[in-house]
């Protein structure tokens, strides 16, 4: 029989972490972070990384496993997560993946084959140099010509993914979209996909409040420490919550402008997350509100108990 794996997905600030803890307590689970940026040490506040006291003694994996200047890919994520799923189930526990990095979670659950997509460091460096001299829009326009479908999914400011998509095409002759279409959507597990959604108005209010809370908790100090260590151009610092501060440190925008930019980017990211999850994965969606979240969760507990008994 295939192993059961629960995955909790949805936009930022919707309540995924809270649900993961409750599920782990009720169903003898252990938690795997499904966030591509929580793997980095020192990126705590801006990634909304769960605090030690919030874990309630439940084991958590895929947190703080990379230095801020290290690369980390969906292929790396898949390999590690599949190892954790094996280890957790061998102990008679239920693996629970929780996070908003949809492609990474999908890659792990549906066993994406990344073997033909090894990095080409020479080509990658050449493309990065072009981005510096010609500007990223030059490369983005090239990607639009090569793979218009993928270009629509990637924001021009996401240098790493733009360069990676071009690198794949120039190395293999196949576009990233071709690779995605050729993936067989059959899982080696029994994936139980749970999605949390909330009205746009309420979610955006929560996102704005979360950013304010991050500021109070010391986000500025956290990012400045990383910036001062020379991590500004690293993959980790391209994350929302970090990249917005670079212009502030350079004196190009005010503190208020930076905070508003962070809120706006977080809201836009939530919208993109919704779109991706709704289009790419067969998720059972549950509507929640901040005032009724405990009652909303009770329905999930009941339905999951029924699924796991089968």
């Amino acid at each position: 029989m295939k192993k059961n794996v629960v995955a909790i997905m949805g936009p930022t600030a919707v309540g995924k972490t809270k649900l993961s803890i409750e599920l782990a307590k009720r169903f003898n689970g252990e938690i795997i972070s499904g966030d591509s940026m929580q793997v980095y040490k020192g990126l705590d506040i801006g990634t909304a990384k769960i605090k030690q006291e919030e874990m309630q003694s439940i084991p958590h994996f895929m947190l703080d496993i990379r230095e801020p200047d290290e690369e980390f890919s969906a292929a790396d994520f898949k390999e590690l997560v599949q190892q954790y799923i094996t280890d957790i189930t061998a102990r008679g526990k239920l693996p629970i993946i929780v996070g908003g990095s949809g492609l990474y979670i999908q890659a792990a659950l549906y066993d994406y084959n990344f073997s033909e997509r090894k990095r080409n460091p020479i080509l990658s460096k050449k493309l990065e140099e072009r981005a510096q001299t010609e500007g990223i829009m030059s490369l983005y326009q090239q990607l639009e010509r090569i793979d218009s479908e993928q270009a629509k999914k990637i924001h021009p400011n996401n240098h790493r993914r733009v360069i990676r998509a071009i690198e794949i095409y120039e190395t293999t002759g196949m576009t990233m979209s071709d690779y995605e279409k050729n993936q067989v959507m059959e899982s080696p597990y029994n994936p139980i996909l749970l999605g949390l959604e909330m009205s746009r108005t309420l979610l955006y209010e929560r996102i704005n409040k979360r950013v304010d809370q991050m500021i109070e908790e010391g986000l500025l100090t956290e990012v400045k420490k990383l910036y001062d260590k020379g991590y500004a151009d690293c993959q980790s610092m391209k994350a929302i919550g970090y990249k917005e501060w670079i212009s502030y440190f350079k004196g190009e925008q005010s503190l208020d402008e930076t905070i508003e930019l962070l809120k706006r980017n977080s809201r836009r990211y939530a919208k993109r997350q919704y779109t991706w999850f709704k289009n790419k994965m067969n998720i059972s969606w549950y509507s929640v509100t901040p005032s009724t979240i405990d009652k909303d969760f009770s329905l999930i507990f009941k339905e999951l108990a029924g699924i796991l008994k089968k």
Side-chain angles (χ1 to χ4, degrees):
M1 289 180 62
K2 291 183 177 181
K3 304 179 182 84
N4 288 322
V5 180
V6 173
I8 304 168
M9 290 168 283
T12 185
V14 77
K16 299 186 297 294
T17 298
K18 179 179 171 66
L19 177 60
S20 70
I21 293 294
E22 295 304 318
L23 289 185
K25 289 192 296 187
R26 282 167 172 77
F27 297 99
N28 194 26
E30 296 186 358
I31 296 170
I32 302 169
S33 170
D35 186 298
S36 63
M37 291 297 162
Q38 290 186 357
V39 299
Y40 290 110
K41 299 173 184 176
L43 277 73
D44 302 326
I45 300 171
T47 63
K49 194 179 292 177
I50 189 169
K51 300 179 179 68
Q52 195 69 41
E53 60 271 22
E54 294 172 330
M55 293 182 183
Q56 300 187 38
S57 301
I58 294 164
H60 281 68
F61 305 97
M62 297 295 287
L63 300 173
D64 302 322
I65 59 172
R66 290 288 188 275
E67 297 296 333
D69 58 350
E70 290 185 90
E71 292 283 314
F72 188 75
S73 68
D76 297 325
F77 179 88
K78 170 201 159 182
E79 182 180 353
L80 289 170
V81 167
Q82 291 190 340
Q83 289 175 12
Y84 284 125
I85 290 172
T86 299
D87 293 344
I88 292 168
T89 54
R91 292 195 300 275
K93 306 281 188 176
L94 176 67
I96 301 172
I97 303 175
V98 54
S101 298
L103 175 62
Y104 282 59
I105 296 172
Q106 189 182 47
L109 288 178
Y110 292 92
D111 205 23
Y112 271 25
N113 179 14
F114 293 95
S115 60
E116 296 175 11
R117 293 204 240 164
K118 298 295 184 186
R119 299 307 305 253
N120 182 328
I122 296 173
L123 178 57
S124 183
K125 184 179 179 183
K126 192 181 295 183
L127 291 169
E128 285 168 6
E129 288 171 353
R130 272 189 56 201
Q132 292 289 331
T133 56
E134 301 175 22
I136 191 61
M137 282 309 298
S138 174
L139 272 72
Y140 186 75
Q141 287 162 2
Q142 180 182 349
L143 177 59
E144 286 181 314
R145 293 190 296 271
I146 291 169
D147 186 359
S148 60
E149 189 176 335
Q150 198 63 220
K152 290 174 185 174
K153 302 176 187 176
I154 302 174
H155 193 281
N157 290 342
N158 194 332
H159 295 205
R160 187 175 60 88
R161 287 193 65 198
V162 171
I163 287 171
R164 182 63 177 136
I166 295 173
E167 180 190 332
I168 286 171
Y169 176 75
E170 295 196 356
T171 304
T172 68
M174 288 179 66
T175 66
M176 190 177 282
S177 294
D178 291 334
Y179 274 103
E180 290 178 359
K181 287 171 186 172
N182 289 336
Q183 293 288 350
V184 178
M185 284 294 284
E186 184 174 341
S187 179
Y189 312 109
N190 176 34
I192 303 164
L193 310 181
L194 310 175
L196 296 183
E197 59 184 349
M198 186 179 290
S199 79
R200 199 65 55 89
T201 302
L202 288 174
L203 182 65
Y204 286 177
E205 285 177 6
R206 280 172 68 90
I207 289 171
N208 290 339
K209 286 178 183 176
R210 172 181 273 189
V211 171
D212 289 335
Q213 184 180 344
M214 287 176 172
I215 301 301
E216 290 175 13
E217 291 178 358
L219 178 60
L220 172 55
T221 302
E222 176 175 285
V223 186
K224 187 64 163 64
K225 191 181 295 183
L226 295 163
Y227 181 80
D228 288 344
K229 288 182 178 179
Y231 295 136
D233 294 324
C234 294
Q235 174 184 338
S236 59
M237 290 286 278
K238 300 295 188 289
I240 293 172
Y242 296 87
K243 64 182 180 180
E244 291 82 7
W245 295 93
I246 305 300
S247 294
Y248 171 71
F249 297 143
K250 292 179 177 178
E252 297 169 358
Q253 66 190 22
S254 69
L255 178 60
D256 287 343
E257 287 171 333
T258 303
I259 293 171
E260 283 308 308
L261 180 62
L262 175 48
K263 289 179 178 178
R264 188 197 73 184
N265 286 351
S266 298
R267 294 192 300 267
R268 288 180 175 177
Y269 178 55
K271 186 177 179 182
R272 293 198 303 274
Q273 285 176 303
Y274 264 135
T275 301
W276 197 96
F277 284 124
K278 297 272 186 179
N279 292 337
K280 292 289 185 178
M281 301 180 80
N282 186 21
I283 297 171
S284 297
W285 289 96
Y286 296 87
S287 293
V288 297
T289 70
S291 60
T292 64
I293 200 161
D294 291 328
K295 182 181 176 183
D296 299 329
F297 281 0
S298 65
L299 173 63
I300 300 175
F301 304 150
K302 182 179 178 181
E303 294 191 358
L304 181 57
I307 294 168
L308 293 174
K309 281 180 182 176
K310 292 178 181 178

